[in-house]
């Protein structure tokens, strides 16, 4: 009887692994509560129980990997006030035109629409004056590894290389710098707690085949009109496109719209197609205060994501979307 139970357990073990709880990825930290990509936002995400914390990366003039979503600074910092004469001819302030010593003097604020001056998420953390600053990838790694030690939990990192082709034109190589930094902090193998993500398939292929990383890579899939890269994201979402992605990546990070359509409606085939060839699916972005039009409630959205069987999700609200949160059921 005991032996039968044990063999049954072995037989079931692949199924048990496939049904592992989905991971909660804190999108730009706990950005629903604190200004995005700050150390405060990362620390709070750790405290709220996120499994991974995301960092978007751009490069400074002196080659530091700065945690920042845009290549521009004016949507989330007071750069126009502190360095009014440093905009390019298009009127925008580029992080790549500043040294880290300058960038670290900037105050970070909640995201604003620079055209209208309005806040993007009106009910979040108050605007300036703010007590939070920009940080580098290395600062975030030290913070997260430190909290991992003091709490006894292992929270992973989920860095995204922003606009690698644009950085290359500007003479910078954030991908190589990131791999070197990760190596220095012990992130080297496929089972280390890190996913490296990018919209640009050419960069992910370079990381895999030229720079020979063994880390898990995630291909982001957005809308082609966003111009995140020259890739055709519609073609990438087909079974043939996914098979090509699977040659260099372990997972995909698609926009929510490509995964679930509406409550009580069948999902798209994307998750099933990706799972059929062994890839994980981590859609973006679940925001409790900015839900997709088709989903009037967070519970409805989370129910659809659980039903389709995604392996994790990017969220501004890690606490509200945890698999055991009352709000998700
Ligand atoms: Ca991102």
């Amino acid at each position: 009887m005991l032996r039968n139970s044990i063999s049954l357990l072995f037989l079931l073990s692949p199924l048990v692994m496939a049904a592992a709880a989905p991971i909660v990825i804190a999108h730009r930290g706990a950005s629903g509560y604190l200004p995005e990509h700050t150390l405060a936002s990362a620390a709070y995400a750790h405290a709220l129980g996120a499994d991974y914390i995301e960092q978007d990366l751009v490069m400074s003039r002196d080659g530091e990997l700065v945690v920042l979503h845009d290549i521009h600074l004016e949507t989330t910092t007071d750069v126009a006030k502190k360095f009014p004469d440093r905009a390019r001819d298009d009127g925008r302030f580029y992080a790549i035109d500043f040294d880290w010593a300058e960038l670290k003097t900037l105050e970070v604020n909640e995201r604003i629409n620079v055209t209208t001056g309005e806040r993007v998420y009106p009910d979040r953390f108050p605007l300036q004056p703010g007590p939070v600053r920009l940080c580098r990838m290395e600062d975030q790694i030290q913070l997260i590894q430190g909290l991992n030690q003091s709490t006894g939990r292992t929270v992973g990192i989920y860095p995204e290389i922003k606009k690698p082709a644009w950085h290359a034109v500007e003479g910078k190589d954030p991908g190589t710098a990131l791999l070197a930094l990760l190596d220095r902090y012990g992130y080297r193998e496929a089972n280390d707690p890190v996913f490296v993500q990018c919209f640009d398939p050419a960069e992910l292929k370079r990381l895999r085949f030229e720079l020979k990383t063994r880390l898990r890579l995630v291909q982001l899939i957005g809308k082609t009109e966003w111009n995140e890269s020259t890739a055709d994201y519609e073609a990438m979402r087909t079974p043939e496109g996914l098979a090509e992605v699977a040659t260099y990546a372990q997972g995909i990070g698609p926009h929510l719209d490509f995964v679930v359509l509406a409550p009580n409606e069948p999902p798209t085939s994307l998750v099933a197609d990706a799972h059929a060839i062994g890839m994980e699916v981590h859609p973006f972005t679940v925001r409790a205060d900015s839900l997709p039009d088709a989903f009037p409630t967070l519970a409805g959205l989370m129910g659809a994501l659980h039903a389709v069987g995604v392996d994790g999700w990017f969220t501004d609200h890690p606490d509200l979307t945890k698999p055991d949160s009352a709000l998700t059921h």
Side-chain angles (χ1 to χ4, degrees):
M1 183 64 194
L2 179 64
R3 188 160 41 185
N4 284 348
S5 307
I6 289 171
S7 15
L8 188 62
L9 198 63
F10 275 112
L11 276 173
L12 285 174
S13 61
L15 295 173
V16 171
M17 284 175 66
I23 58 169
V24 176
I25 306 152
H27 181 245
R28 311 181 197 171
S31 58
Y33 304 104
L34 282 154
E36 65 186 49
H37 284 323
T38 58
L39 289 177
S41 178
Y44 199 45
H46 198 290
L48 291 179
D51 299 299
Y52 283 78
I53 299 173
E54 191 215 17
Q55 301 85 20
D56 293 311
L57 298 175
V58 303
M59 209 162 222
S60 68
R61 184 167 61 186
D62 56 344
E64 292 285 350
L65 287 170
V66 180
V67 186
L68 187 69
H69 178 267
D70 305 339
I71 56 175
H72 311 117
L73 289 159
E74 64 273 14
T75 46
T76 55
T77 77
D78 63 344
V79 65
K81 195 172 76 186
K82 285 215 174 77
F83 298 98
D85 57 345
R86 296 277 293 276
R88 290 193 185 184
D89 290 344
D90 61 3
R92 311 213 62 174
F93 298 83
Y94 290 75
I96 208 166
D97 294 334
F98 293 81
D99 288 334
W100 171 242
E102 297 169 320
L103 293 173
K104 72 181 182 185
T105 69
L106 299 178
E107 290 177 25
V108 177
N109 51 257
E110 274 292 322
R111 180 163 286 274
I112 55 164
N113 178 324
V114 284
T115 311
T116 65
E118 301 281 313
R119 302 179 49 152
V120 176
Y121 305 105
D123 297 328
R124 294 189 179 182
F125 199 80
L127 278 181
Q128 306 269 24
V132 284
R133 297 286 187 274
L134 293 172
C135 64
R136 299 167 302 172
M137 185 66 201
E138 184 162 16
D139 303 319
Q140 285 236 356
I141 292 174
Q142 289 178 353
L143 177 91
I144 292 164
Q145 291 194 345
L147 282 168
N148 284 349
Q149 179 173 316
S150 58
T151 63
R153 295 178 57 229
T154 300
V155 173
I157 55 176
Y158 210 129
E160 177 186 348
I161 302 165
K162 282 297 197 190
K163 297 199 179 289
W166 182 85
H167 275 91
V169 169
E170 298 281 328
K172 296 282 193 267
D173 181 357
T176 297
L178 175 63
L179 292 183
L181 179 68
L182 294 178
D183 183 79
R184 212 155 62 241
Y185 281 87
Y187 301 97
R188 300 184 189 102
E189 308 297 338
N191 59 358
D192 287 330
V194 54
F195 290 92
V196 176
Q197 49 166 336
C198 192
F199 276 104
D200 190 338
E203 177 71 353
L204 290 172
K205 288 177 191 170
R206 189 177 75 103
L207 298 183
R208 176 67 72 220
F209 301 122
E210 281 179 41
L211 303 178
K212 309 237 182 269
T213 184
R214 298 186 293 275
L215 300 174
R216 290 172 294 181
L217 303 180
V218 170
Q219 171 69 59
L220 297 172
I221 301 180
K223 300 186 178 175
T224 301
E225 64 265 26
W226 294 348
N227 293 320
E228 282 287 347
S229 79
T230 56
D232 176 350
Y233 294 101
E234 269 119 75
M236 197 181 272
R237 301 201 313 266
T238 64
E240 298 74 29
L242 291 173
E244 159 75 7
V245 172
T247 63
Y248 57 86
Q250 281 63 50
I252 55 171
H255 189 281
L256 282 172
D257 289 356
F258 305 146
V259 175
V260 286
L261 301 173
N264 307 316
E265 255 189 54
T268 73
S269 66
L270 186 65
V271 174
D273 292 342
H275 282 174
I277 54 174
M279 280 203 294
E280 294 192 39
V281 183
H282 301 157
F284 63 88
T285 304
V286 181
R287 296 181 170 104
D289 56 354
S290 183
L291 291 163
D293 289 342
F295 288 91
T297 67
L298 178 63
L301 174 60
M302 298 313 299
L305 290 175
H306 281 288
V308 71
V310 297
D311 306 284
W313 44 81
F314 291 88
T315 177
D316 292 4
H317 299 95
D319 52 340
L320 304 183
T321 62
K322 280 174 74 167
D324 59 355
S325 167
L327 289 172
T328 65
H329 296 292

